[in-house]
Amino acid sequence: MPDTEVEARIAAFDAILARNERFVLIFHGAEMPKDSPRFMRAYKAWFNATKATQKRLCAGAVRVEPDADRRKSMALKALSLMNKVFLPYPYAVVASDAEAQAQARMWLAETGSAP
């Protein structure tokens, strides 16, 4: 991620939280822009500063990965990460957008926020 995009990405995360509504994050593409130290520092600071709000509003996060081998690898990485860092919401790795939408609906229904 180019350094020129860092503030806009963090502002987008803030805008999601500012809506004060339950939501589910659905990710596609690269896991994290690890080649962008500036973004990683900003994201880590944002994540830690907003953890309580994320716990209250984020029903979960779903990563879509169609490739079975990559999906398994991502699921193992997620489990390792959850053991190192407390994630304030559940996390899943699924094969398709349809599965991601189904998971999101299930999590939102559990919290009484399903569309």
Side-chain angles (χ1 to χ4, degrees):
M1 173 181 305
D3 286 349
T4 56
E5 294 182 27
V6 171
E7 285 79 15
R9 295 291 174 105
I10 298 300
F13 296 145
D14 281 333
I16 292 169
L17 297 181
R19 292 175 55 187
N20 201 34
E21 297 173 356
R22 295 289 288 169
F23 65 92
V24 172
L25 296 169
I26 298 178
F27 298 102
H28 297 83
E31 291 179 67
M32 286 292 273
K34 293 183 171 102
D35 293 333
S36 176
R38 184 169 177 211
F39 174 80
M40 294 305 293
R41 281 190 307 275
Y43 179 76
K44 183 178 179 180
W46 175 86
F47 185 88
N48 289 328
T50 63
K51 196 178 278 190
T53 304
Q54 290 180 67
K55 183 175 183 172
R56 182 172 55 84
L57 296 177
C58 186
V62 184
R63 172 160 299 282
V64 177
E65 176 48 62
D67 181 86
D69 290 336
R70 289 190 67 202
R71 190 170 53 252
K72 183 177 179 180
S73 174
M74 287 179 172
L76 290 172
K77 286 179 190 177
L79 183 59
S80 174
L81 178 64
M82 289 191 298
N83 286 331
K84 292 178 186 173
V85 177
F86 170 72
L87 289 178
Y89 45 76
Y91 185 89
V93 182
V94 300
S96 68
D97 285 325
E99 288 179 78
Q101 292 294 329
Q103 180 65 68
R105 283 190 296 277
M106 185 174 69
W107 281 333
L108 289 170
E110 290 172 359
T111 62
S113 300

